Amino acid sequence: MSRNLLILGAAPSLGELRDTLIRLEDTIIFALIERSQFKQNRDIYEEGKMSFKDGHRGSFLSWFLKEVECVHARVRRYQSPDEYAFTDNLPEPILPPLDYPPVLVDPKQININDEILDVYINTVVPGITDTGDDSNYGSSATRDIECLQALSRRIHYGKFVAESKFQDPCTHDEYVRHIRSKNRVKLMELLTNARVEEQLLKRLKAKAIIYGQDLSTASIDGNGHTNGAANGATNGTSILPAGASTSEERVKTRVDYDLVVSLYRDYVIPLTKEVEVEYLLHRLDCE
């Protein structure tokens, strides 16, 4: 859970939400880096490639995901309004329920994990891994689940973003008008902030370059500072490998930073806004 949702008295502000979403960027990038160390191992995503003694008929990943989510459900993970399971028919928690403040309207009604899973298996995994099979099925699937859970949390956090924007006095009446008329296009326009999205993508690229480097090859002085002299830096803060420049030469990283940017630009941002619009369309159902 990215923040303590038990103590919320109202929807978090956009500033608070941005802090949470920025931290999730780090989680997602590191999860992608961890998955990228293994081959694609396509067999773990295909039904019928493995047999299961419990009668499961799906893929190895779907079996593993179900098992993990059953354990997490027993400790009430999916009672939290920012957590969404990929599988159905999960067991009831063994712990007593927590009393979350009713910040969201019908928080569990919208779940697009099927779309997230499809994008991840068919677009993300081929983009961050080398083709082939190294038989590290358990390790690969473990990293897959970490990636999927982080992406799901990030995208479904759009509900909190939508609620916060809905409650903004400056735009509240406009949101209500477009919700009542079921105008998806106008709602999408209201939700979109092109400047913030551009800043996000720039920040992601910088993070992916920094986090994805092998710092064992960097020149670091006795005080722990990187030596940026070879890069034309004068303040000793550059973390680029000697001789490399983000503007002149492609930096070698453990995960393709352009893929991280395209993942957010083409999928995470659009899917988040899809969640936001769907949430808003149901925001007045109980009023």
Side-chain angles (χ1 to χ4, degrees):
M1 188 163 59
S2 301
R3 57 180 286 118
N4 189 352
L5 300 180
L6 286 169
I7 63 175
L8 287 180
S13 68
L14 287 178
E16 292 172 323
L17 288 169
R18 287 193 183 107
D19 289 342
T20 298
L21 298 180
I22 286 172
R23 289 195 298 272
L24 279 169
E25 293 168 9
D26 301 344
T27 301
I28 290 169
I29 292 172
F30 282 120
L32 294 173
I33 290 172
E34 287 297 309
R35 177 60 182 90
S36 70
Q37 67 184 301
F38 304 109
K39 300 284 189 180
Q40 280 189 33
N41 295 325
R42 298 300 302 178
D43 282 0
I44 67 178
Y45 308 117
E46 297 181 14
E47 295 184 12
K49 285 292 185 178
M50 302 180 192
S51 59
F52 303 90
K53 293 182 180 179
D54 61 3
H56 180 77
R57 295 186 178 182
S59 67
F60 175 74
L61 178 62
S62 67
W63 174 84
F64 196 7
L65 192 55
K66 175 80 171 182
E67 294 295 309
V68 169
E69 291 192 333
C70 281
V71 174
H72 291 179
R74 290 190 178 100
V75 292
R76 66 191 177 200
R77 175 172 187 164
Y78 302 110
Q79 289 189 350
S80 176
D82 66 340
E83 296 283 1
Y84 295 81
F86 285 82
T87 51
D88 300 320
N89 302 317
L90 295 174
E92 292 296 319
I94 61 172
L95 298 173
L98 295 173
D99 186 19
Y100 288 98
V103 174
L104 300 178
V105 176
D106 293 332
K108 296 297 182 179
Q109 180 177 350
I110 301 160
N111 182 333
I112 64 167
N113 276 343
D114 286 346
E115 293 182 62
I116 296 171
L117 182 62
D118 179 69
V119 169
Y120 179 78
I121 291 176
N122 295 306
T123 302
V124 177
V125 172
I128 63 174
T129 59
D130 293 331
T131 57
D133 189 311
D134 58 17
S135 298
N136 284 299
Y137 298 153
S139 297
S140 298
T142 298
R143 302 311 181 196
D144 286 333
I145 292 172
E146 291 170 355
C147 289
L148 287 167
Q149 290 174 333
L151 287 167
S152 175
R153 192 181 309 119
R154 166 60 177 83
I155 289 167
H156 287 102
Y157 239 90
K159 297 181 183 182
F160 289 96
V161 174
E163 181 64 28
S164 181
K165 291 183 176 182
F166 175 81
Q167 293 189 17
D168 184 345
C170 296
T171 54
H172 176 76
D173 291 344
E174 197 170 357
Y175 274 110
V176 170
R177 185 169 67 254
H178 296 317
I179 291 170
R180 293 195 188 283
S181 64
K182 304 295 183 184
N183 194 327
R184 292 176 176 270
V185 174
K186 289 296 183 182
L187 286 173
M188 186 66 76
E189 289 177 359
L190 271 178
L191 290 166
T192 300
N193 188 325
R195 181 182 62 83
V196 170
E197 291 178 9
E198 182 180 0
Q199 290 174 341
L200 182 157
L201 295 177
K202 288 180 179 179
R203 182 174 64 246
L204 272 173
K205 183 173 183 178
K207 284 183 176 182
I209 291 174
I210 294 169
Y211 299 162
Q213 289 187 57
D214 180 2
L215 294 183
S216 65
T217 62
S219 176
I220 304 177
D221 63 25
N223 296 318
H225 298 137
T226 55
N227 180 3
N231 311 317
T234 58
N235 58 6
T237 58
S238 173
I239 50 73
L240 297 180
S245 166
T246 55
S247 60
E248 299 174 358
E249 203 173 318
R250 184 170 182 83
V251 183
K252 181 175 177 57
T253 56
R254 288 174 290 177
V255 66
D256 187 342
Y257 48 85
D258 285 334
L259 183 138
V260 174
V261 172
S262 66
L263 169 63
Y264 260 73
R265 183 189 63 237
D266 299 335
Y267 299 105
V268 173
I269 293 175
L271 288 175
T272 300
K273 290 197 286 190
E274 177 184 327
V275 167
E276 293 174 9
V277 169
E278 289 300 323
Y279 174 82
L280 288 172
L281 288 172
H282 293 281
R283 180 59 180 77
L284 301 178
D285 286 356
C286 298
E287 295 187 6

